[in-house]
Amino acid sequence: MKRFAQLFTALDQTTKTNAKVAALAAYLKDAPDTDKLWTIALLSGRRPKRGVTTTLLREWAAETANIPLWLFEESYPIVGDLSETIALVLPPATRSSDRPLTAWIETVRDLGQYAPPDKKRIILEAWDSLPPIERFLFNKLITGGLRIGVSQKLMTRALAQATGIEEATLAHRLMGDWTPDTTTFDALILSENPEADASKPYPFYLAYQLEDLSMLGPPEDWRAEWKWDGIRGQLVIRRGTHHLWSRGEELITDRFPEFAVLPDFVPDGTVFDGEILAWDHAADRPQSFNALQPRIGRKTVPKKLLKEAPAMLYAYDLLEHQGQDIRNQPYDIRRKHLSELIATLPPEAPIRLSANQPFQDWDGLAALRETSRDRLAEGFMLKRADSPYLSGRKKGDWWKWKVDPLMIDAVMIYAQAGSGRRANLFTDFTFAVWNGNDLVPFTKAYSGLTDAEFRQITAWVKRNTVQKFGPVRQVTPEHVFEIAFEGIQKSPRHKSGVALRFPRMSRWRHDKPLQEANTLDDLKEMLEHYG
């Protein structure tokens, strides 16, 4: 644990990318293999399950520190982090420990099998044997909140430096549903394992939002695809079976049983990249994202939902063809292989080609882009004709060119403090629209303002609180904000009857009086047109 704490400190004390990579590479060269594996797992989002509630942790910390619980609770929002608050209030350790990271993680992982008294004993013994920084990390492991200032991309770069293996190869090996309990450092990183590779997808190629169309150059160098509003996924067909992966590296095969027939039609050694959509078979076109949403997160899908929202893969790229990785081939070549392959499939196969959109000039494509929502699309993806399929988010060859978000002007009626570095600021707000003379809450938003604006609104909230409901403050209706969002749908769970997709504050409307905020009828009109 001491070595891991030293790594954390080194990473936390610098903002320089090269320094972070160097510190991590040095650690990955010298640490025990089991600790290396767990560090890689933690940096790629694979954390042990939480085995004790934060309520109990707060109670035990206050008791051990010999302070009243109310004082601990008052200290927590000032510090802004529960794990740090606990580490700060505890008395100095009376013992020391040289247990490695892996041993502490095993302790955390096993907590769930114990009764509360035994959990308390184990945790108090740990606190009494760890110095503050190691206590902090131990607490983060318990709560599942460990975040280290290193992206998976930087971790892969450091691992490449430590092992001499190419980054692209490592990125592929790190994909999938592995955990430190199911593999070893040698098997995952150092060894070529065809069995393990059979189910693995490739790292997804991600794009930035296009801000300036003029930077692209001649339109003939580019291809335009509709940006469909579904679930990005890779469908892997190898050894007579299939695996479906989400962009978040989650295996979602069982959630979409429609694709189980594809190995009957698609040759082994094929990997598609595309969008999972709810499909209208009668019209042979996508349904809206709202139709697909009830299937998201379900482990099993009832027959009624399978009938109402059958899944289709709208394929727009081919990453593996006839057992060969073709990501380095130009986009146009990959699309040619994709088009020819899909043309051989029968109509009942749940896969379609997401066709390119022909265009002559940027102005014509811009005009067509304005029709995106009518087509149930979010805009265009623009891809250079000779571009390879890269790994991660890159600038240059692929861009997403989304339509402007929908907008509504709303009144802030509730405020709640943020967390972490924003624990002392009110950053989470509830907004309402007019329904006659009443304000009806319809959405929450917590992003979009600058730190200066958050400080300004925080000072105002403190002066204008009407009531308190735990951490939530009801405020005087006074301020209007422009809320941007990507979509709208019916929602019986909300008093307004609607729910927004990805709401955020785009502007604080100092220029707009309270009475000129939008109405519930305005929202319902949007729902009728865009829902």
Side-chain angles (χ1 to χ4, degrees):
M1 190 68 147
K2 295 185 188 303
R3 190 194 301 263
F4 185 70
Q6 291 168 357
L7 171 65
F8 176 83
T9 302
L11 296 174
D12 192 51
Q13 291 179 347
T14 183
T15 58
K16 296 181 178 179
T17 297
N18 289 341
K20 289 187 175 187
V21 171
L24 188 52
Y27 174 89
L28 291 171
K29 282 182 180 178
D30 299 332
D33 281 358
T34 53
D35 283 9
K36 292 178 188 177
L37 186 62
W38 265 112
T39 300
I40 293 168
L42 294 170
L43 289 173
S44 56
R46 296 166 172 86
R47 301 178 180 90
K49 290 183 179 180
R50 188 166 68 183
V52 62
T53 66
T54 57
T55 299
L56 289 175
L57 288 175
R58 294 198 297 268
E59 291 175 359
W60 297 340
E63 178 186 326
T64 304
N66 197 27
I67 61 174
L69 183 58
W70 68 262
L71 180 57
F72 181 93
E73 297 293 1
E74 288 294 318
S75 303
Y76 175 18
I78 302 302
V79 176
D81 183 275
L82 176 61
S83 297
E84 186 175 0
T85 306
I86 292 173
L88 289 172
V89 302
L90 292 174
T94 63
R95 298 177 296 155
S96 62
S97 170
D98 59 358
R99 298 179 75 206
L101 171 66
T102 301
W104 285 113
I105 288 178
E106 289 172 349
T107 296
V108 170
R109 185 186 56 192
D110 294 342
L111 282 173
Q113 64 183 312
Y114 296 109
D118 291 323
K119 291 180 183 180
K120 180 179 180 181
R121 173 184 54 79
I122 292 168
I123 289 174
L124 265 56
E125 289 176 355
W127 285 343
D128 192 40
S129 64
L130 293 169
I133 185 62
E134 294 175 41
R135 273 183 189 165
F136 167 75
L137 293 171
F138 177 70
N139 295 336
K140 283 292 188 182
L141 291 171
I142 295 175
T143 61
L146 182 62
R147 304 288 187 274
I148 302 176
V150 175
S151 66
Q152 184 163 335
K153 178 181 176 182
L154 290 189
M155 182 266 291
T156 306
R157 186 186 305 175
L159 190 57
Q161 289 187 15
T163 63
I165 301 171
E166 291 184 358
E167 284 185 50
T169 300
L170 289 170
H172 188 211
R173 290 180 182 177
L174 291 173
M175 294 288 286
D177 59 351
W178 63 271
T179 73
D181 294 322
T182 61
T183 189
T184 64
F185 181 78
D186 183 78
L188 180 69
I189 301 300
L190 303 180
S191 302
E192 293 188 13
N193 186 347
E195 291 295 326
D197 288 346
S199 67
K200 284 190 176 183
Y202 293 99
F204 283 83
Y205 190 2
L206 308 176
Y208 283 93
Q209 172 69 17
L210 180 67
E211 302 294 341
D212 182 5
L213 193 62
S214 65
M215 65 184 287
L216 299 184
E220 58 266 24
D221 293 343
W222 294 85
R223 303 293 178 260
E225 303 169 1
W226 290 106
K227 188 180 187 306
W228 300 107
D229 189 10
I231 302 172
R232 176 90 179 270
Q234 280 185 35
L235 183 65
V236 177
I237 298 177
R238 300 190 186 108
R239 300 186 185 177
T241 189
H242 74 294
H243 304 273
L244 184 65
W245 296 90
S246 72
R247 196 187 78 172
E249 295 185 33
E250 184 181 6
L251 187 62
I252 55 175
T253 312
D254 293 341
R255 300 180 193 179
F256 296 94
E258 294 94 333
F259 301 126
V261 301
L262 281 174
D264 295 338
F265 307 118
V266 178
D268 262 8
T270 301
V271 178
F272 298 104
D273 185 10
E275 203 80 9
I276 303 165
L277 302 168
W279 197 256
D280 182 345
H281 282 282
D284 199 29
R285 57 167 289 174
Q287 298 185 56
S288 72
F289 181 82
N290 296 341
L292 182 67
Q293 192 164 35
R295 297 190 59 169
I296 297 174
R298 285 180 176 265
K299 297 293 185 182
T300 58
V301 187
K303 290 182 178 179
K304 183 174 182 290
L305 196 51
L306 282 172
K307 184 177 180 180
E308 292 174 350
M312 180 73 71
L313 182 71
Y314 232 8
Y316 40 67
D317 215 325
L318 191 64
L319 314 186
E320 187 173 312
H321 182 48
Q322 297 177 351
Q324 299 298 313
D325 178 356
I326 63 170
R327 290 176 297 159
N328 285 331
Q329 293 187 14
Y331 170 86
D332 277 354
I333 299 299
R334 298 196 311 276
R335 285 284 302 193
K336 179 176 181 293
H337 290 313
L338 175 66
S339 178
E340 291 173 349
L341 175 56
I342 291 182
T344 67
L345 304 181
E348 62 268 26
I351 186 168
R352 298 286 188 275
L353 175 68
S354 178
N356 287 138
Q357 176 60 50
F359 68 101
Q360 299 299 318
D361 53 59
W362 295 122
D363 289 342
L365 191 63
L368 195 59
R369 171 175 165 263
E370 297 304 314
T371 69
S372 296
R373 283 199 174 93
D374 294 333
R375 301 168 185 264
L376 303 179
E378 298 180 300
F380 282 116
M381 289 296 301
L382 301 177
K383 301 177 180 179
R384 198 179 294 275
D386 60 357
S387 63
Y389 189 99
L390 302 176
S391 172
R393 197 175 300 278
K394 311 287 186 184
K395 285 186 176 180
D397 287 343
W398 282 24
W399 298 93
K400 54 185 177 184
W401 192 27
K402 298 174 69 172
V403 291
D404 294 333
L406 299 169
M407 300 285 190
I408 198 88
D409 288 330
V411 181
M412 186 183 75
I413 58 172
Y414 296 104
Q416 185 172 348
S419 59
R421 71 180 184 88
R422 287 181 167 174
N424 295 324
L425 298 174
F426 286 96
T427 62
D428 299 9
F429 307 119
T430 299
F431 294 94
V433 289
W434 290 106
N435 184 24
N437 294 323
D438 298 325
L439 284 169
V440 179
F442 73 102
T443 196
K444 295 182 178 181
Y446 52 87
S447 63
L449 299 186
T450 65
D451 284 352
E453 287 175 317
F454 277 127
R455 286 192 292 270
Q456 185 180 351
I457 198 67
T458 293
W460 181 88
V461 167
K462 290 178 179 178
R463 296 192 307 269
N464 292 274
T465 296
V466 177
Q467 293 187 77
K468 293 183 180 180
F469 306 95
V472 178
R473 296 194 183 196
Q474 181 183 359
V475 297
T476 305
E478 180 176 326
H479 292 289
V480 176
F481 288 79
E482 183 180 75
I483 307 300
F485 55 100
E486 301 302 321
I488 185 170
Q489 65 188 81
K490 291 182 181 179
S491 175
R493 295 187 298 107
H494 293 79
K495 187 176 181 180
S496 63
V498 301
L500 307 186
R501 285 190 69 204
F502 307 126
R504 67 259 187 206
M505 295 167 280
S506 60
R507 226 180 356 149
W508 187 351
R509 296 297 304 267
H510 297 282
D511 60 322
K512 198 153 198 173
L514 180 71
Q515 294 75 17
E516 292 184 13
N518 282 105
T519 67
L520 186 58
D521 285 341
D522 295 331
L523 275 175
K524 289 180 178 178
E525 186 177 340
M526 285 186 171
L527 178 64
E528 184 176 344
H529 190 72
Y530 300 113

